[in-house]
Short mmCIF file of all heavy atoms in Angstrom, two decimals:
data_model
loop_
_atom_site.label_atom_id
_atom_site.label_comp_id
_atom_site.label_asym_id
_atom_site.label_seq_id
_atom_site.Cartn_x
_atom_site.Cartn_y
_atom_site.Cartn_z
N GLU J 371 1.27 21.17 -21.06
CA GLU J 371 -0.01 21.76 -21.50
C GLU J 371 0.24 23.00 -22.36
O GLU J 371 -0.56 23.30 -23.25
CB GLU J 371 -0.92 22.05 -20.30
CG GLU J 371 -1.36 20.72 -19.65
CD GLU J 371 -2.62 20.77 -18.82
OE1 GLU J 371 -2.88 21.79 -18.15
OE2 GLU J 371 -3.35 19.75 -18.81
N SER J 372 1.36 23.67 -22.13
CA SER J 372 1.68 24.83 -22.96
C SER J 372 1.98 24.42 -24.41
O SER J 372 1.95 25.24 -25.32
CB SER J 372 2.89 25.59 -22.38
OG SER J 372 4.04 24.76 -22.48
N LYS J 373 2.23 23.09 -24.59
CA LYS J 373 2.46 22.59 -25.95
C LYS J 373 1.21 21.91 -26.50
O LYS J 373 1.27 21.18 -27.50
CB LYS J 373 3.60 21.56 -25.94
CG LYS J 373 4.92 22.11 -25.46
CD LYS J 373 5.94 20.97 -25.33
CE LYS J 373 7.15 21.40 -24.52
NZ LYS J 373 7.80 20.25 -23.87
N GLY J 374 0.09 22.07 -25.80
CA GLY J 374 -1.17 21.53 -26.29
C GLY J 374 -1.46 20.10 -25.84
O GLY J 374 -2.40 19.47 -26.32
N ILE J 375 -0.65 19.56 -24.93
CA ILE J 375 -0.91 18.21 -24.41
C ILE J 375 -1.76 18.35 -23.15
O ILE J 375 -1.36 19.04 -22.21
CB ILE J 375 0.42 17.50 -24.10
CG1 ILE J 375 1.24 17.36 -25.39
CG2 ILE J 375 0.18 16.15 -23.44
CD1 ILE J 375 2.72 17.29 -25.17
N ILE J 376 -2.94 17.73 -23.17
CA ILE J 376 -3.90 17.96 -22.09
C ILE J 376 -3.97 16.74 -21.16
O ILE J 376 -4.01 15.60 -21.62
CB ILE J 376 -5.31 18.26 -22.68
CG1 ILE J 376 -5.25 19.48 -23.60
CG2 ILE J 376 -6.35 18.48 -21.56
CD1 ILE J 376 -4.70 20.76 -22.96
N TYR J 377 -3.97 17.01 -19.86
CA TYR J 377 -4.14 15.95 -18.85
C TYR J 377 -5.47 16.22 -18.16
O TYR J 377 -5.56 17.14 -17.35
CB TYR J 377 -2.98 16.00 -17.84
CG TYR J 377 -1.64 15.79 -18.52
CD1 TYR J 377 -0.89 16.88 -18.98
CD2 TYR J 377 -1.15 14.51 -18.73
CE1 TYR J 377 0.32 16.69 -19.62
CE2 TYR J 377 0.06 14.30 -19.38
CZ TYR J 377 0.79 15.40 -19.82
OH TYR J 377 1.98 15.19 -20.46
N ASP J 378 -6.52 15.45 -18.52
CA ASP J 378 -7.82 15.81 -17.92
C ASP J 378 -8.20 14.94 -16.72
O ASP J 378 -9.09 15.28 -15.98
CB ASP J 378 -8.92 15.87 -18.98
CG ASP J 378 -9.31 14.50 -19.49
OD1 ASP J 378 -8.66 13.50 -19.10
OD2 ASP J 378 -10.26 14.42 -20.28
N TYR J 379 -7.51 13.79 -16.52
CA TYR J 379 -7.79 12.93 -15.36
C TYR J 379 -9.28 12.70 -15.17
O TYR J 379 -9.78 12.70 -14.04
CB TYR J 379 -7.16 13.51 -14.09
CG TYR J 379 -5.65 13.64 -14.15
CD1 TYR J 379 -5.04 14.89 -14.11
CD2 TYR J 379 -4.84 12.52 -14.24
CE1 TYR J 379 -3.65 15.02 -14.17
CE2 TYR J 379 -3.46 12.63 -14.30
CZ TYR J 379 -2.87 13.88 -14.26
OH TYR J 379 -1.51 14.00 -14.30
N ASN J 380 -9.99 12.54 -16.27
CA ASN J 380 -11.42 12.30 -16.18
C ASN J 380 -11.66 10.94 -15.51
O ASN J 380 -11.22 9.91 -16.03
CB ASN J 380 -12.00 12.32 -17.60
CG ASN J 380 -13.50 12.13 -17.59
OD1 ASN J 380 -14.09 11.80 -16.56
ND2 ASN J 380 -14.12 12.33 -18.75
N PRO J 381 -12.36 10.93 -14.36
CA PRO J 381 -12.55 9.65 -13.66
C PRO J 381 -13.22 8.59 -14.54
O PRO J 381 -13.03 7.39 -14.29
CB PRO J 381 -13.44 10.02 -12.47
CG PRO J 381 -13.20 11.48 -12.26
CD PRO J 381 -12.93 12.07 -13.63
N ALA J 382 -13.94 9.01 -15.58
CA ALA J 382 -14.59 8.04 -16.48
C ALA J 382 -13.56 7.17 -17.21
O ALA J 382 -13.91 6.12 -17.75
CB ALA J 382 -15.48 8.77 -17.48
N GLN J 383 -12.29 7.60 -17.24
CA GLN J 383 -11.25 6.79 -17.86
C GLN J 383 -10.86 5.57 -17.00
O GLN J 383 -10.06 4.75 -17.44
CB GLN J 383 -9.98 7.63 -18.07
CG GLN J 383 -10.15 8.73 -19.08
CD GLN J 383 -9.00 9.74 -18.99
OE1 GLN J 383 -8.15 9.67 -18.11
NE2 GLN J 383 -8.98 10.67 -19.92
N PHE J 384 -11.35 5.53 -15.76
CA PHE J 384 -10.94 4.47 -14.83
C PHE J 384 -12.18 3.75 -14.27
O PHE J 384 -12.39 3.71 -13.05
CB PHE J 384 -10.08 5.08 -13.71
CG PHE J 384 -9.04 6.03 -14.23
CD1 PHE J 384 -9.23 7.41 -14.15
CD2 PHE J 384 -7.90 5.56 -14.89
CE1 PHE J 384 -8.30 8.30 -14.68
CE2 PHE J 384 -6.97 6.44 -15.43
CZ PHE J 384 -7.17 7.81 -15.32
N PRO J 385 -13.00 3.21 -15.17
CA PRO J 385 -14.28 2.64 -14.71
C PRO J 385 -14.10 1.45 -13.76
O PRO J 385 -14.94 1.25 -12.87
CB PRO J 385 -14.97 2.21 -16.01
CG PRO J 385 -13.87 2.08 -17.02
CD PRO J 385 -12.84 3.09 -16.64
N VAL J 386 -13.03 0.68 -13.93
CA VAL J 386 -12.88 -0.51 -13.07
C VAL J 386 -12.49 -0.08 -11.66
O VAL J 386 -13.02 -0.60 -10.66
CB VAL J 386 -11.85 -1.50 -13.68
CG1 VAL J 386 -11.77 -2.76 -12.84
CG2 VAL J 386 -12.20 -1.82 -15.13
N ALA J 387 -11.59 0.89 -11.57
CA ALA J 387 -11.20 1.41 -10.25
C ALA J 387 -12.40 2.10 -9.58
O ALA J 387 -12.61 1.96 -8.37
CB ALA J 387 -10.03 2.39 -10.38
N GLN J 388 -13.19 2.81 -10.37
CA GLN J 388 -14.37 3.48 -9.80
C GLN J 388 -15.38 2.46 -9.29
O GLN J 388 -15.92 2.61 -8.19
CB GLN J 388 -15.01 4.39 -10.85
CG GLN J 388 -16.19 5.21 -10.31
CD GLN J 388 -15.79 6.08 -9.13
OE1 GLN J 388 -14.89 6.92 -9.24
NE2 GLN J 388 -16.42 5.87 -7.97
N ALA J 389 -15.60 1.40 -10.08
CA ALA J 389 -16.57 0.37 -9.65
C ALA J 389 -16.07 -0.31 -8.37
O ALA J 389 -16.86 -0.63 -7.47
CB ALA J 389 -16.76 -0.66 -10.76
N LEU J 390 -14.76 -0.51 -8.27
CA LEU J 390 -14.20 -1.09 -7.05
C LEU J 390 -14.47 -0.16 -5.87
O LEU J 390 -14.92 -0.60 -4.80
CB LEU J 390 -12.69 -1.33 -7.22
CG LEU J 390 -11.97 -1.82 -5.96
CD1 LEU J 390 -12.47 -3.21 -5.55
CD2 LEU J 390 -10.46 -1.84 -6.17
N CYS J 391 -14.19 1.13 -6.05
CA CYS J 391 -14.37 2.09 -4.95
C CYS J 391 -15.83 2.21 -4.53
O CYS J 391 -16.12 2.51 -3.38
CB CYS J 391 -13.79 3.45 -5.33
SG CYS J 391 -11.99 3.42 -5.40
N ASP J 392 -16.75 1.96 -5.44
CA ASP J 392 -18.17 1.96 -5.07
C ASP J 392 -18.51 0.76 -4.20
O ASP J 392 -19.36 0.85 -3.32
CB ASP J 392 -19.06 1.93 -6.32
CG ASP J 392 -19.07 3.27 -7.05
OD1 ASP J 392 -18.76 4.30 -6.41
OD2 ASP J 392 -19.37 3.28 -8.26
N SER J 393 -17.85 -0.37 -4.46
CA SER J 393 -18.39 -1.64 -3.95
C SER J 393 -17.52 -2.36 -2.94
O SER J 393 -17.91 -3.42 -2.45
CB SER J 393 -18.63 -2.59 -5.14
OG SER J 393 -17.40 -2.87 -5.79
N TYR J 394 -16.33 -1.84 -2.59
CA TYR J 394 -15.46 -2.61 -1.69
C TYR J 394 -15.43 -2.00 -0.30
O TYR J 394 -15.71 -0.82 -0.11
CB TYR J 394 -14.02 -2.69 -2.24
CG TYR J 394 -13.11 -1.59 -1.73
CD1 TYR J 394 -12.28 -1.80 -0.62
CD2 TYR J 394 -13.09 -0.34 -2.33
CE1 TYR J 394 -11.45 -0.81 -0.14
CE2 TYR J 394 -12.25 0.67 -1.85
CZ TYR J 394 -11.44 0.43 -0.75
OH TYR J 394 -10.63 1.43 -0.27
N THR J 395 -15.03 -2.85 0.63
CA THR J 395 -14.68 -2.35 1.95
C THR J 395 -13.53 -3.18 2.50
O THR J 395 -13.20 -4.23 1.94
CB THR J 395 -15.89 -2.37 2.91
OG1 THR J 395 -15.60 -1.53 4.03
CG2 THR J 395 -16.21 -3.77 3.40
N VAL J 396 -12.91 -2.69 3.54
CA VAL J 396 -11.81 -3.42 4.18
C VAL J 396 -12.32 -4.02 5.49
O VAL J 396 -12.93 -3.33 6.31
CB VAL J 396 -10.63 -2.46 4.48
CG1 VAL J 396 -9.53 -3.19 5.26
CG2 VAL J 396 -10.07 -1.88 3.19
N VAL J 397 -12.09 -5.32 5.63
CA VAL J 397 -12.38 -6.00 6.90
C VAL J 397 -11.08 -5.98 7.70
O VAL J 397 -10.12 -6.66 7.34
CB VAL J 397 -12.86 -7.45 6.66
CG1 VAL J 397 -13.10 -8.17 7.98
CG2 VAL J 397 -14.10 -7.47 5.78
#
Side-chain angles (χ1 to χ4, degrees):
E371 293 202 325
S372 66
K373 300 173 194 154
I375 298 153
I376 302 304
Y377 300 92
D378 71 355
Y379 299 115
N380 182 350
Q383 293 166 354
F384 315 102
V386 184
Q388 184 58 58
L390 175 65
C391 290
D392 286 338
S393 62
Y394 92 95
T395 197
V396 175
V397 178

